[in-house]
Amino acid sequence: MKKVLLGFGGLLVLFLGVIGAALALVATAGAVEADRVAVDGVPEAYRPWVFRAARQCHDPGLTPALLAAQLFEESGFRVDARSPAGAEGPAQFMPGTWATWGRDDDQSGSASPYDIGDAVMAQGRLMCSLLVQARASGIADDPRRLALAGYNAGWAAVQGSRGVPPYGETQRYVAEIMGNLGRFGGAGLLSEISGSGVGPAAARKAASQLGVPYSYGGGSPVGPSHGHCDGEDGFRGGQCLADSTLGWDCSALVQYAYWPARQLPRTAAEQYAATADHPVAQAELRTGDLLFWRHGNGHVYHVALYLGDGVMISAPKTGDVVKRAPVTDMPASDFAGATRP
C-alpha cells in the first residue's frame, strides 16, 4: 500500500518405481488451513500470522503465500517501514485505512501498524474484503490481481478502470507480487517445477491453487468460482456442496492453468477432443502434459496435469481439494491417454 493516493480506497503403472518420493499433500477440505499453500522464505515472526490471516478469510484466493509475497513487496518484512507518503509498518497502512482495519490482534494492549500480528491480520481483513468485491464485480481478471490493485490504488480506481488501473506503480505492484508467489509458495511443490515453456508454466499456475476446494462446475479462466449440483455430481453426504463452495473442478483447473497461452475448452471431454491430435507416449511425458481417464470407451470423466516422476496435480472430487498425488491414485484401467496442448 505504498500508494497511489486515491483512497484505501493406469496405463501408467510404469511409474510405480519412482513415486515413492512423491507424497500427496494433505487433502481434506478441513485441512485447507494447513494445506492452502505451504510458505517458504518467510521470517519466523511472520509465519504464524500469515497462516492465521489466511484462515480467517473464506475466500480461497487469500493464501499464506499471497500475503507473504505482498508483505515482501510492501516492506521487505521490515517492521519499522515507513513510506514518504506516510504508510506505516510491514503492511504499509495509511493512518486513515488503519483506523478502519487495525485491531489489537496480538493482544498487546494497543493496535499498531508496526506490530507484526496486528499488521498482518489487518492486511488479511482488507485483502479478504477486496477479494469479495473483486468476485462480485464481474471484471474479467484474476480476483487476486484486482484485490492487490485495490490495496495499492483503492477499489474505486479498480472499478473505474474495470481492471488493474493504468498506473505504472500499481501495475508493477500487482505483477511483482503475483510473480513472487512461487518464491513464497513453499519448497513442497512450486519451487520443484522447473523448466520453461507453456507446459511448466501451466503446471506452476495450477500449483498456485493447491488446497483450494473442489467445486463441481466451479472455476473459469479468471479464477475459482461457485459450482453447481447436477444429478449426483456436486453432492456429499446428500448435501449439495458445489453451489456454496468457491473452487475448481478438474477441467476448469486445467483451463485456468493454460489460459491464455492455450485457450482450451471447458470440459474434460472437450479438452481431450481438442488435444487428441497431439498424443504423448507414456515414456515421453513432460511437465504440463494432460492425462485423461474414462470408463471403457465412454465419456472422459477426469483430467489432470502431469508434473513428473509419476505425480500429477488435479482437482479430484467433491469434498477434496486441489492437490498433488500419484498418478496411480486413478484406476489404470480407465486411463484414456495423454496429450500435449
Side-chain angles (χ1 to χ4, degrees), residues 155-308:
W155 183 250
V158 177
Q159 284 185 308
S161 301
R162 299 300 295 170
V164 177
Y167 313 142
E169 178 194 330
T170 302
Q171 293 189 342
R172 181 199 55 77
Y173 177 86
V174 172
E176 289 287 338
I177 294 171
M178 296 300 291
N180 272 328
L181 283 176
R183 176 174 183 164
F184 298 103
L189 182 56
L190 277 173
S191 61
E192 297 175 7
I193 302 174
S194 61
S196 59
V198 174
R204 284 189 286 269
K205 191 172 179 183
S208 74
Q209 301 300 302
L210 284 169
V212 175
Y214 178 94
S215 183
Y216 179 78
S220 74
V222 172
S225 67
H226 287 99
H228 62 270
C229 292
D230 180 13
E232 296 183 358
D233 295 312
F235 293 87
R236 188 182 186 194
Q239 178 183 0
C240 177
L241 295 185
D243 62 3
S244 61
T245 301
L246 277 169
W248 302 99
D249 66 16
C250 63
S251 56
L253 178 66
V254 167
Q255 186 186 48
Y256 170 79
Y258 268 98
W259 202 277
R262 300 288 187 272
Q263 298 188 14
L264 299 175
R266 177 59 176 81
T267 70
E270 291 170 339
Q271 290 171 2
Y272 185 53
T275 60
D277 57 343
H278 296 98
V280 180
Q282 299 167 30
E284 301 297 326
L285 281 168
R286 299 178 187 170
T287 301
D289 286 347
L290 302 184
L291 310 174
F292 295 92
W293 288 264
R294 66 182 171 197
H295 297 300
N297 293 321
H299 192 70
V300 172
Y301 67 84
H302 189 63
V303 60
L305 288 94
Y306 185 66
L307 295 178

